[in-house]
């Protein structure tokens, strides 16, 4: 900016407001001529115009300090593009609302980028590959291979969609392999920085949408024990807040696309984990069930009790799907795993009496209940009063669900038979 004292020190301090104005004259037959073209600039905190770009004499005018300077050389091509756009817009319909105006402007700018693509091809060394008699400057197809042209979704610059065509390097565009409309030029990608919408997969080296790539947000540092009852659902919100507020061992790190699996990357069994995917550096700890089918990161394995059941003697972790050990749904006491129970039975020293005995189970999810909790109040099935655990308290037991489903099926069949009989009688 010319007025450096008023230049915002950060982008968020103010927004630049630009107003483009032009006038046309129709003195001669043919397309109208632009008699004037200016762009007014001001900050959102200002009322009056601060800068004016005058296209007629290629000057930048500081309206506050009354100073004029020539437009810098590096902006000459940009000014030419704007002028060409306004010429094309001046010949189009008028009286549009803001939505229609934006749509028309986008279509005009996109068409101008198509013309510039064909013009770039004629300026390159592979001009011999182009049949000049078939050249269509406004065509949405490549002049070399007749493939479709694709556009950067940000600046609309055009290029050939075929990677085998020399025109695809005029300029090269990044395109998502799964979402064909997600296209960006490298200049726009560079401007987006870490927030880039496309990124190259480190596995297959293809471009893909950033939202579809695995991301490790960094292992939390210094997670303290969270008070709460074992397996209490109230612990999960507290743990999510703790994860969000904790420091991380590294900034967010990209992994691979959905089609690739990088070595060492893992997914925690806890749906509320601090990261959906975890890089090898952060997954170096963690807990794995002896069945090798379930893995959880060390913070989730420590604080969320519904992922693993540990044998009270050998302390080995077992996932809840394993049959090697059982846990009471009420008091969360576990019995011995098969190996430890077998050793106890061989020794016969009477220690088995210290561990719970499972005498009942939930009528819906089959979760076990020990003899110590059997006398506690419990939820019951609305159909047959069979015992239900807290998680299944609003449902029927499996037997009643099956009976209800078969009853509905019988009613449906009876209705169909009745309809058939009526049809035959008619």
């Amino acid at each position: 900016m010319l007025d450096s004292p008023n230049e915002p020190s950060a982008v968020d301090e103010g927004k630049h407001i630009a107003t483009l104005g032009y006038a046309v004259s129709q003195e001669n037959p043919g397309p109208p001529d632009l008699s004037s073209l200016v762009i007014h600039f001001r900050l959102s905190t200002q009322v009056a115009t601060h800068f004016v770009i005058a296209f007629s004499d290629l000057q930048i005018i500081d309206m506050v300090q009354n100073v004029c300077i020539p437009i810098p050389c590096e902006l000459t091509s940009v000014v030419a593009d704007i002028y060409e756009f306004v010429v094309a817009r001046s010949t189009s319909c008028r009286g549009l609302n803001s939505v229609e105006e934006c749509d028309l402007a986008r279509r005009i700018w996109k068409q101008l980028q198509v013309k510039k693509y064909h013009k770039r091809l004629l300026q390159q060394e592979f001009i011999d590959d182009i049949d000049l008699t078939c050249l269509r400057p406004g065509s949405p197809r490549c002049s070399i291979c007749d493939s479709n042209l694709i556009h950067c979704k940000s600046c609309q610059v055009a290029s050939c969609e075929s990677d085998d065509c020399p025109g695809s390097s005029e300029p090269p565009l990044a395109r998502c392999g799964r979402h064909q409309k997600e296209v960006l030029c490298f200049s726009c990608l560079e401007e987006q920085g870490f927030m880039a919408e496309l990124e190259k997969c480190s596995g297959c080296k293809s471009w893909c949408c950033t939202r579809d790539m695995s991301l490790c947000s960094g292992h939390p540092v210094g997670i303290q024990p969270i008070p709460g009852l074992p397996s209490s659902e109230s612990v999960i919100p507290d743990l999510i807040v703790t994860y969000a507020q904790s420091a991380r061992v590294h900034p967010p790190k990209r992994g691979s696309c959905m089609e690739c699996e990088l070595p060492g990357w893992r997914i925690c069994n806890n749906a509320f984990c601090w990261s959906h995917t975890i890089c090898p550096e952060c997954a170096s700890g963690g807990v794995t069930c002896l069945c090798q089918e379930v893995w959880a990161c060390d913070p989730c394995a420590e604080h969320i009790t519904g992922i693993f059941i540990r044998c009270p003697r050998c302390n080995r972790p077992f996932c809840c799907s394993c049959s090697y050990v059982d846990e009471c749904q009420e008091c969360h006491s576990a019995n011995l795993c098969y190996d430890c129970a077998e050793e106890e039975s061989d020794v016969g020293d009477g220690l088995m009496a210290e561990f719970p005995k499972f005498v009942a189970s939930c009528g819906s999810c089959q979760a076990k209940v020990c003899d110590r909790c059997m006398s506690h109040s419990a939820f019951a099935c609305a159909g047959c009063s069979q015992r239900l655990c807290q998680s299944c308290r609003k449902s029927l037991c499996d037997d009643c669900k099956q009976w209800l489903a078969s009853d509905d099926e019988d009613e449906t069949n009876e209705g169909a038979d009745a309809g058939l009989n009526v049809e035959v009688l008619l």
Side-chain angles (χ1 to χ4, degrees):
M1 297 177 67
L2 295 175
D3 188 11
S4 56
N6 289 325
E7 181 177 0
S9 59
V11 175
D12 295 337
E13 290 187 17
K15 295 182 178 180
H16 296 284
I17 297 178
T19 304
L20 186 148
Y22 64 92
V24 295
S25 61
Q26 190 70 58
E27 298 178 357
N28 302 316
D33 297 324
L34 291 180
S35 58
S36 67
L37 173 58
V38 294
I39 299 179
H40 298 264
F41 287 98
R42 66 178 176 86
L43 291 175
S44 58
T45 55
Q46 298 174 335
V47 177
T49 298
H50 197 146
F51 298 102
V52 174
I53 297 180
F55 284 69
S56 57
D57 51 5
L58 299 180
Q59 294 282 323
I60 300 178
I61 307 170
D62 188 331
M63 303 296 289
V64 176
Q65 299 185 9
N66 195 24
V67 177
C68 296
I69 64 169
I71 292 177
C73 296
E74 57 267 24
L75 296 180
T76 303
S77 62
V78 178
V79 171
D81 289 342
I82 296 175
Y83 187 88
E84 189 177 0
F85 166 79
V86 175
V87 170
R89 175 63 187 90
S90 65
T91 60
S92 303
C93 55
R94 300 171 187 173
L96 305 177
N97 58 41
S98 58
V99 176
E100 294 171 335
E101 182 66 42
C102 289
D103 181 65
L104 175 61
R106 186 177 183 85
R107 285 189 281 113
I108 291 175
W109 183 254
K110 191 172 183 178
Q111 184 61 31
L112 291 176
Q113 297 305 313
V114 169
K115 294 181 179 179
K116 291 180 67 175
Y117 169 77
H118 294 290
K119 185 178 180 180
R120 285 195 300 270
L121 293 185
L122 293 174
Q123 297 171 348
Q124 301 303 319
E125 296 179 355
F126 45 79
I127 181 68
D128 295 338
D129 297 332
I130 304 176
D131 185 357
L132 297 180
T133 60
C134 299
L135 182 63
R136 297 162 293 174
S139 172
R141 304 186 74 86
C142 177
S143 300
I144 301 176
C145 67
D146 202 40
S147 297
N148 290 323
L149 298 183
I150 55 177
H151 297 261
C152 170
K153 62 181 293 186
S154 179
C155 69
Q156 297 298 313
V157 65
S159 188
C160 181
E161 71 171 354
S162 174
D163 294 334
D164 299 327
C165 176
S168 63
S169 61
E170 295 297 320
L173 301 181
R175 189 182 194 186
C176 176
R178 298 182 70 246
H179 309 100
Q180 297 295 299
K181 293 184 179 180
E182 298 297 323
V183 183
L184 285 171
C185 67
F186 288 100
S187 297
C188 293
L189 274 175
E190 185 176 354
E191 289 180 2
Q192 292 180 357
F194 182 76
M195 302 301 293
E197 299 176 35
L198 293 175
E199 192 157 333
K200 183 171 287 190
C201 171
S202 57
C204 61
K205 307 301 180 184
S206 61
W207 289 97
C208 67
C209 291
T210 305
R211 64 178 181 269
D212 293 335
M213 294 190 68
S214 57
L215 175 72
C216 178
S217 57
H219 194 292
V221 178
I223 298 293
Q224 300 297 323
I226 299 175
L229 296 175
S231 194
S232 174
E233 294 182 358
S234 63
V235 174
I236 295 180
D238 296 335
L239 185 60
I240 294 175
V241 172
T242 303
Y243 283 161
Q245 296 176 346
S246 64
R248 303 301 176 101
V249 296
H250 63 69
K253 181 190 300 183
R254 300 287 180 198
S256 64
C257 66
M258 300 176 66
E259 307 297 329
C260 298
E261 291 185 9
L262 294 180
W265 283 73
R266 310 197 70 164
I267 298 178
C268 179
N269 191 255
N270 177 26
F272 301 98
C273 182
W274 46 270
S275 183
H276 177 66
T277 51
I278 303 176
C279 69
E281 177 186 352
C282 298
S284 57
V287 178
T288 304
C289 174
L290 266 67
C291 69
Q292 302 297 314
E293 297 294 331
V294 175
W295 178 88
C297 68
D298 41 357
C300 291
E302 179 181 356
H303 294 94
I304 301 296
T305 58
I307 302 177
F308 295 109
I309 303 172
R310 289 187 176 272
C311 172
R313 180 182 179 187
C314 65
N315 200 38
R316 290 184 299 175
F318 298 91
C319 67
C320 297
S321 300
C322 282
S323 58
Y324 294 96
V325 66
D326 289 315
E327 182 183 59
C328 177
Q329 183 68 21
E330 302 292 333
C331 66
H332 305 288
S333 298
N335 62 356
L336 297 180
C337 67
Y338 284 178
D339 294 338
C340 291
E342 185 176 351
E343 292 178 5
E344 286 293 332
S345 61
D346 292 340
V347 175
D349 54 6
L351 292 178
M352 290 290 291
E354 300 179 6
F355 300 105
K357 296 179 180 179
F358 297 101
V359 296
S361 60
C362 172
S364 180
C365 68
Q366 309 307 316
K368 301 293 192 299
V369 180
C370 71
D371 53 349
R372 303 168 187 174
C373 299
M374 189 60 189
S375 59
H376 298 174
S377 59
F379 300 95
C381 170
C384 64
S385 300
Q386 187 176 182
R387 187 186 186 100
L388 297 176
C389 68
Q390 185 176 0
S391 302
C392 304
R393 62 185 182 274
K394 295 182 180 180
S395 64
L396 299 173
C397 67
D398 288 347
D399 293 338
C400 290
K401 287 180 181 178
Q402 188 176 1
W403 175 82
L404 186 62
S406 61
D407 189 50
D408 291 341
E409 184 177 352
D410 291 341
E411 291 180 0
T412 302
N413 293 335
E414 290 176 3
D417 293 341
L420 181 61
N421 293 334
V422 170
E423 185 177 356
V424 172
L425 291 174
L426 292 175

